[in-house]
């Protein structure tokens, strides 16, 4: 599927089947980092729920809530046990209740590509699930990862049993569990982990059956770099097309993290802001082709935090937020930037969020790019808001534009 601009048929389906909130005025908060499991996290977040709601966030993505062999939650075993390193079930329920009171939706991190077994199967691998709820046998595990199921419909996640989503009994159990998370536990949104591991049509089915209010998938693919120095290529159309194809295969019911925008933006802010205009004059990420399904972000628990697999330059963070919080797409703010790097960063991000809300900038807002050169990027969004980032000096020429926010290498105006 090529560039997506018209959303109408997808909107109707999404409204019927859950998955995408229709008004496009979402701002997401990633409410953890890689070290959060070392604190009493659910209680800590409960103390921040009021501030998050007042700042304008609509949904908070929480870390995986299930019992897991890894402290961070990404090696789940007993899906119905919600006592984890982040806190107890009662502490989680208390957090979700507080969030609900503040009209802040809770997003569950859904890790269903793989699952750690409790007992050894016939080949000596731990790929049976005896003695816990959803007590699958080896037929629930793909043949590529040591099970007796079918071949995987995606990439293999090495070293652990990968779930075979082609099995009807597996999908039935996963759907029941997702419905339980929605109705009994109190999660409203879903984030699907490692979606390269299984076909997008299964995500579509899970969303249709469990009806989250909003869903986003992690389809993390490598951007294209050229030897010998492995600089990022200017054209990342193949990269964003793969993400768009994935979204399309979910029936448009699931948004996706805009890794294309992240990859381009973190190079652009280092004095290569020309990267932020594609050959058609549009934003160069998923945001430029299918903005209502693009969840823009500059950092997460994998790319940044203590893992630092693909970090955004730390001295350009506010330029990053000045870009994603003024542009179309669905912006997401990372915990570390909002709470762990001083009150001024918190307040600058919150100010940009307030401007976005007051000017009614949304996921489908139009962008007119005015400048995109090494040291300067400027754009007008919806004819209501004007912004610049970079070392270059620039301001709008018309007198009706008033400065609304400014900081290190960024400024935003509105009428």
């Amino acid at each position: 599927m090529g560039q997506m601009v018209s959303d109408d048929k997808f909107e109707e389906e999404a409204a019927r089947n859950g998955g995408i909130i229709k008004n496009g005025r979402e701002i997401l908060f990633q409410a953890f980092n890689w070290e959060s499991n070392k604190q009493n996290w659910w209680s800590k977040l409960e103390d921040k729920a009021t501030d998050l709601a007042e700042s304008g966030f609509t949904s908070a993505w929480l870390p995986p809530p299930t019992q897991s062999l890894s402290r961070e939650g990404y090696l789940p075993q007993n899906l119905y046990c919600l006592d984890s390193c982040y806190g107890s079930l009662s502490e989680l329920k208390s957090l979700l209740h507080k969030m609900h009171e503040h009209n802040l939706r809770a997003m569950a991190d859904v890790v269903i590509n793989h699952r750690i077994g409790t007992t050894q199967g016939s080949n000596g691998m731990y790929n049976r699930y005896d003695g816990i709820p959803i007590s699958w046998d080896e037929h629930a595990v793909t043949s590529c990862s040591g099970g007796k199921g079918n071949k995987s419909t995606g990439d293999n996640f090495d070293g652990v049993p990968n779930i075979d989503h082609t099995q009807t009994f597996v999908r039935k159990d996963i759907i029941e569990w997702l419905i339980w998370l929605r109705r009994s536990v109190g999660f409203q949104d879903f984030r699907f982990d490692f979606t390269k591991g299984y076909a997008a049509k299964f995500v579509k089915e899970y969303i249709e059956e469990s009806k989250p209010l909003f869903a986003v998938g992690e389809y993390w693919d490598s951007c294209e770099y050229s030897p010998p120095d492995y600089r990022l290529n200017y054209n990342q159309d193949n990269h964003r097309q793969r993400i768009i194809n994935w979204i399309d295969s979910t029936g448009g019911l699931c948004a996706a993290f805009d890794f294309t925008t992240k990859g381009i933006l973190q190079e652009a802010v280092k004095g290569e802001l020309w990267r932020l205009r594609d050959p058609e004059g549009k934003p160069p990420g998923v945001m430029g082709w299918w903005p209502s399904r693009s969840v823009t972000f500059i950092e997460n628990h994998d790319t940044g935090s203590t893992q630092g697999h693909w970090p955004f330059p730390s001295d350009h963070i506010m330029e990053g937020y000045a870009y994603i919080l003024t542009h179309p797409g669905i912006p997401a703010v990372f915990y570390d930037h909002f709470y762990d790097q001083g009150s001024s960063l918190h307040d600058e991000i919150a100010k940009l969020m307030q401007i976005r809300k007051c000017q009614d900038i949304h996921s489908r807002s139009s962008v007119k790019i005015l400048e995109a050169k090494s040291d300067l990027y400027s754009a007008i969004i919806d004819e209501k808001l004007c912004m610049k980032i970079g070392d270059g000096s620039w301001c709008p020429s018309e007198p009706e534009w008033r400065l609304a926010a400014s900081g290190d290498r960024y400024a935003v105006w509105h009428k």
Side-chain angles (χ1 to χ4, degrees), residues 22 87 89 164 171 201 298 303 321 328 342 349 394:
K22 200 161 180 183
L89 171 62
D164 179 7
R171 296 201 305 281
K201 66 182 179 182
I298 67 170
T303 64
Y321 282 116
I349 293 169
W394 184 90

Side-chain angles (χ1 to χ4, degrees), residues 269-281:
V269 293
K270 299 173 191 171
E272 299 179 356
L273 291 165
W274 44 266
R275 292 180 178 276
L276 295 180
R277 177 162 54 193
D278 77 6
E280 275 74 54

Side-chain angles (χ1 to χ4, degrees), residues 4-52:
M4 259 313 296
V5 254
S6 166
D7 283 336
D8 297 347
K9 71 172 181 144
F10 290 102
E11 289 309 333
E12 288 165 21
E13 189 160 349
R16 278 199 307 277
N17 295 314
I20 293 283
I21 297 239
K22 200 161 180 183
N23 70 15
R25 286 157 181 82
E26 304 295 303
I27 302 180
L28 311 184
F29 180 68
Q30 179 172 358
F32 66 101
N33 59 36
W34 197 243
E35 303 299 320
S36 301
N37 61 85
K38 295 172 182 167
Q39 300 180 48
N40 195 345
W41 200 249
W42 300 144
S43 299
K44 182 168 181 169
L45 286 181
E46 190 173 341
D47 293 339
K48 299 195 181 301
T50 305
D51 178 57
L52 290 171

Side-chain angles (χ1 to χ4, degrees), residues 37 39 42 63-68 70-73 81-89 91-92:
N37 61 85
Q39 300 180 48
W42 300 144
T66 54
Q67 176 263 333
S68 158
S70 60
R71 293 187 57 91
E72 298 84 11
C81 174
L82 299 187
D83 291 312
S84 72
C85 291
Y86 298 102
S88 66
L89 171 62
E91 288 167 333
L92 174 61

